[in-house]
Amino acid sequence: AQKITQTQPGMFVQEKEAVTLDCTYDTSDPSYGLFWYKQPSSGEMIFLIYQGSYDQQNATEGRYSLNFQKARKSANLVISASQLGDSAMYFCAMREGSNFGNEKLTFGTGTRLTIIP
Amino acid sequence: GAVVSQHPSWVICKSGTSVKIECRSLDFQATTMFWYRQFPKQSLMLMATSNEGSKATYEQGVEKDKFLINHASLTLSTLTVTSAHPEDSSFYICSARELVYTGELFFGEGSRLTVL
């Protein structure tokens, strides 16, 4: 079974609109971390936001917020007021186990986001 | 944030030759580095975990004799693709964690390998 599922291979969004990128995960470990990365066409992986399984509040970083619904095992990324520079591939990833000593990430298949002017 | 640099950023080689890719942590010491492989329009797949001063741990299905990993210092890990074949053509990305682990992994810019 897939550990990380991103069901949207591609999305087109009008500039300045908000966009939600879906991510569901599967783990039996009570301790885990969820990440979102942005990969522009140049290839580098840019860290966006992190949510720990025990975090009480949804993570936010500037225009990025993570809609964490633990019971549904979903960790959707919300980008507010989208910009042309947001066009890129977006990957959801999970680290199972505690922070220390286990940093392997499992990535989803990604969502290609295109912002339309 | 911390900087991880890969070199070369792209390389073209003939089938049968070996190619070495370097991953350096520029402003921090990295006890652990990870090597990922990404085929076009696909996700990142972890190949191996590289620990300074010890043998790398390879994921299931990754040939350790083909993908040689050396982590000789706290700032450098190398991936050598031996006897490369066209099917080895891919985007290889490394990531690193700091000596004092803060929870964040830092990724290199990636290296695109094309084997003719």
Side-chain angles (χ1 to χ4, degrees):
Chain A
Q2 292 290 328
K3 285 184 176 289
I4 295 286
T5 302
Q6 295 181 252
T7 58
Q8 306 151 311
M11 288 186 70
F12 291 84
V13 173
Q14 203 75 38
E15 188 180 7
K16 298 181 183 178
E17 289 186 353
V19 56
T20 298
L21 305 181
D22 295 340
C23 173
T24 57
Y25 59 92
D26 182 29
T27 180
S28 57
D29 199 316
S31 178
Y32 54 89
L34 297 159
F35 300 76
W36 276 94
Y37 286 89
K38 172 183 178 181
Q39 187 181 43
S41 56
S42 53
E44 75 269 30
M45 298 290 284
I46 302 169
F47 168 76
L48 296 178
I49 197 165
Y50 168 80
Q51 180 85 41
S53 59
Y54 294 118
D55 292 345
Q56 295 295 316
Q57 294 189 337
N58 286 349
T60 59
E61 288 286 347
R63 293 187 299 114
Y64 305 107
S65 61
L66 200 151
N67 184 1
F68 182 46
Q69 298 188 38
K70 197 169 182 177
R72 297 178 61 183
K73 293 189 175 180
S74 76
N76 298 341
L77 176 71
V78 180
I79 306 174
S80 63
S82 58
Q83 302 171 356
L84 295 178
D86 294 333
S87 294
M89 279 290 286
Y90 288 80
F91 290 98
C92 179
M94 176 173 66
R95 180 197 63 232
E96 293 179 280
S98 60
N99 242 9
F100 296 90
N102 181 17
E103 306 90 350
K104 294 195 301 186
L105 296 182
T106 302
F107 285 83
T109 51
T111 297
R112 180 167 295 282
L113 175 64
T114 303
I115 306 300
I116 306 168
Chain B
V3 178
V4 176
S5 178
Q6 281 184 242
H7 178 80
S9 54
W10 59 271
V11 57
I12 301 173
C13 69
K14 292 183 178 180
S15 185
T17 61
S18 293
V19 175
K20 180 185 284 187
I21 300 170
E22 294 184 347
C23 177
R24 292 182 183 272
S25 54
L26 296 185
D27 51 1
F28 68 100
Q29 292 182 319
T31 54
T32 304
M33 292 184 174
F34 302 88
W35 287 95
Y36 291 85
R37 182 175 183 176
Q38 185 181 28
F39 289 107
K41 300 184 180 181
Q42 293 189 25
S43 187
L44 281 73
M45 299 298 294
L46 181 65
M47 298 174 65
T49 302
S50 167
N51 294 299
E52 187 267 337
S54 64
K55 290 184 178 181
T57 303
Y58 290 82
E59 295 299 301
Q60 192 173 9
V62 178
E63 299 176 60
K64 60 181 179 181
D65 294 331
K66 180 165 188 61
F67 299 99
L68 300 179
I69 292 173
N70 184 280
H71 194 154
S73 76
L74 286 173
T75 59
L76 174 64
S77 175
T78 60
L79 167 68
T80 301
V81 183
T82 62
S83 187
H85 288 100
E87 57 264 31
D88 298 325
S89 298
S90 188
F91 193 60
Y92 294 88
I93 307 177
C94 70
S95 69
R97 56 157 283 192
E98 293 185 78
L99 196 61
V100 179
Y101 187 45
T102 59
E104 186 172 347
L105 291 173
F106 303 97
F107 282 83
E109 319 96 312
S111 300
R112 187 167 302 283
L113 170 63
T114 301
V115 185
L116 303 177

